Amino acid sequence: MNERRFMLRAMLVGALTAIGMCVAVAAWWFARQPTTIRMEDTPLGGIYQPATLTVRVGTTVQWKNDGQQVHDTTDRPDAALRASDVAYPSGAEPFDSGPMQPGQTFSYTFTISGTYKYICTPHEFGGMTGEVLVTK
């Protein structure tokens, strides 16, 4: 009888361990999937959809030019008309997609928590600004 109980307990522990590992792998995989921000045209130039996004550290965000115009995305202070339109946390590296033709994408993985404010350099004057809030 004791041997049977031992075997049942061992099987139960094994099954629970396997389930826990599957849940952990699934959580890791989904956390690493890119979140897409669409760049869309407007009469004043463009918008980011969504304009504000909250993600966890380690998330890769992808910007996709869904418009017909050339867009970009950058948080570099030297690229902005208004210093308040761009920002990134201390210790983070600035990102810059360069010019993106319609249909092109750019990805950036956020490794430091904080607020990242970015612009489309050709359309900043028309309000094409966005923000990614990165949490731990």
Side-chain angles (χ1 to χ4, degrees):
M1 190 65 155
N2 284 340
E3 188 175 315
R4 186 172 183 198
R5 281 187 185 165
F6 176 78
M7 291 298 289
L8 286 173
R9 284 184 187 161
M11 289 172 47
L12 180 60
V13 168
L16 290 174
T17 301
I19 290 170
M21 289 174 60
C22 288
V23 169
V25 168
W28 172 84
W29 188 80
F30 281 110
R32 300 294 186 270
Q33 294 305 298
T35 300
T36 301
I37 297 173
R38 296 179 326 277
M39 304 157 123
E40 300 177 353
D41 299 339
T42 66
L44 294 177
I47 57 172
Y48 294 108
Q49 287 294 335
T52 301
L53 179 67
T54 301
V55 299
R56 296 182 70 84
V57 166
T59 301
T60 298
V61 173
Q62 180 182 78
W63 285 262
K64 182 173 189 241
N65 186 352
D66 280 342
Q68 297 303 308
Q69 303 178 61
V70 173
H71 292 292
D72 69 7
T73 185
T74 186
D75 63 355
R76 286 185 14 251
D78 63 322
L81 297 173
R82 292 180 298 267
S84 62
D85 286 344
V86 294
Y88 54 90
S90 177
E93 291 292 322
F95 60 81
D96 189 333
S97 67
M100 294 171 56
Q101 298 297 320
Q104 287 186 314
T105 62
F106 166 76
S107 295
Y108 182 82
T109 302
F110 291 92
T111 59
I112 296 178
S113 63
T115 300
Y116 296 75
K117 294 171 70 174
Y118 57 91
I119 60 168
C120 174
T121 54
H123 304 117
E124 177 188 6
F125 68 90
M128 192 168 180
T129 62
E131 184 175 66
V132 175
L133 309 172
V134 181
T135 63
K136 291 185 179 184

